[in-house]
Amino acid sequence: MITDQLAKYYATIAQQYERVYDKPERQEDLEVLRDKVADVLEGHTVLELACGTGYWTEVVAESAESVLATDINDEMLVLAQARGLPDNVTFAKLDAFNLPDDLLGKFTAVFAGFWWSHVKREDQDKYLKQLRNKLGKDILLVLIDNSYVDGSNTVIARTDLLGNTHQFRTTDAGERYEVLKNFPSDSHLRKKFAHSAREIRMKRLEYYWLLSCRLK
């Protein structure tokens, strides 16, 4: 499940979070990624996990039938709601690691941006099973996340015994947090999803990747 430290870190940096999308070297990839996300989720009823400031909610809402954008942090939800998103977007406070039992049949797709990298490698199979059980068979799952590029990403501080990588991140106020952040290869992703999903499709850019599949 999400650690208290990770949740606290994102609550603390909510106001500064979107700076990551201002990096000049990432603009071309971001344009491609926005188009891909809007295209793959066109016409879907989408549950968005860990919506953060709503940056990607806005992209999804352009083409989706509807979006329920969720996050565990009130600080993030306040910012997302302040974006003035269209009427097909609603919001709810939700722990992406502890989904409620009343979601079955309500959505045709689930989207998570920059979330998979915070799921421990040893918990990933269990997490995919939870999504399947709570949301239903054949639901479309769309993930986007970071590729690691020296000089653009925060350096990896350590790798634990199970292969998870961690970064040290410092807030504007000088607070230091250790954050789990994995950077899986395409082969690792395909192997991980092979038992839980079908129609696995990967798009790898220099700074980002996108995976779509249907949970089976």
Side-chain angles (χ1 to χ4, degrees):
M1 60 187 300
I2 190 169
T3 65
D4 291 340
Q5 177 160 291
L6 184 62
K8 184 180 178 183
Y9 167 72
Y10 278 109
T12 301
I13 62 136
Q15 292 287 346
Q16 293 80 43
Y17 177 76
E18 289 195 16
R19 290 178 188 170
V20 71
Y21 299 124
D22 294 334
K23 295 188 174 185
E25 71 274 17
R26 299 187 182 187
Q27 297 312 303
E28 185 175 339
D29 274 14
L30 280 170
E31 184 176 353
V32 172
L33 196 59
R34 286 191 293 263
D35 287 343
K36 291 289 184 182
V37 168
D39 181 61
V40 74
L41 289 169
E42 183 177 2
H44 279 279
T45 303
V46 180
L47 171 65
E48 182 182 9
L49 304 175
C51 71
T53 60
Y55 181 97
W56 292 98
T57 312
E58 190 168 15
V59 174
V60 175
E62 292 175 5
S63 62
E65 179 178 334
S66 65
V67 186
L68 175 59
T70 69
D71 202 279
I72 196 172
N73 279 318
D74 292 323
E75 293 85 351
M76 289 292 193
L77 287 171
V78 167
L79 293 173
Q81 289 171 310
R83 296 185 83 93
L85 297 179
D87 292 340
N88 64 337
V89 178
T90 53
F91 295 92
K93 186 173 183 178
L94 191 71
D95 180 353
F97 274 114
N98 187 24
L99 298 177
D101 295 323
D102 62 350
L103 300 177
L104 193 64
K106 293 184 177 181
F107 303 95
T108 62
V110 56
F111 170 74
F114 307 91
W115 172 249
W116 186 252
S117 52
H118 296 311
V119 181
K120 293 179 180 179
R121 291 163 66 101
E122 62 269 28
D123 292 337
Q124 289 171 356
D125 289 334
K126 180 181 178 181
Y127 190 68
L128 289 172
K129 184 178 179 181
Q130 179 199 180
L131 288 179
R132 163 65 174 80
N133 291 341
K134 294 295 180 74
L135 297 172
K137 182 181 178 181
D138 289 332
I139 193 167
L140 177 68
L141 171 63
V142 179
L143 302 173
I144 58 174
D145 222 307
N146 297 96
S147 301
Y148 184 82
V149 179
D150 278 328
S152 185
N153 294 91
T154 303
V155 298
I156 294 171
R158 71 178 183 93
T159 302
D160 65 28
L161 294 176
L162 294 172
N164 297 292
T165 51
H166 301 256
Q167 300 170 326
F168 290 122
R169 299 186 184 179
T170 304
T171 68
D172 287 355
E175 297 175 284
R176 192 171 187 240
Y177 292 86
E178 181 175 319
V179 174
L180 167 73
K181 182 74 174 179
N182 285 317
F183 298 91
S185 65
D186 288 4
S187 59
H188 175 84
L189 286 165
R190 288 186 180 278
K191 183 177 180 181
K192 178 58 63 176
F193 281 80
H195 299 297
S196 303
R198 59 183 179 84
E199 299 177 22
I200 301 169
R201 294 182 173 89
M202 284 287 310
K203 176 69 174 179
R204 174 74 64 167
L205 303 172
E206 183 176 2
Y207 295 95
Y208 305 102
W209 56 263
L210 181 149
L211 181 148
S212 66
C213 62
R214 290 194 176 274
L215 298 178
K216 63 184 181 181

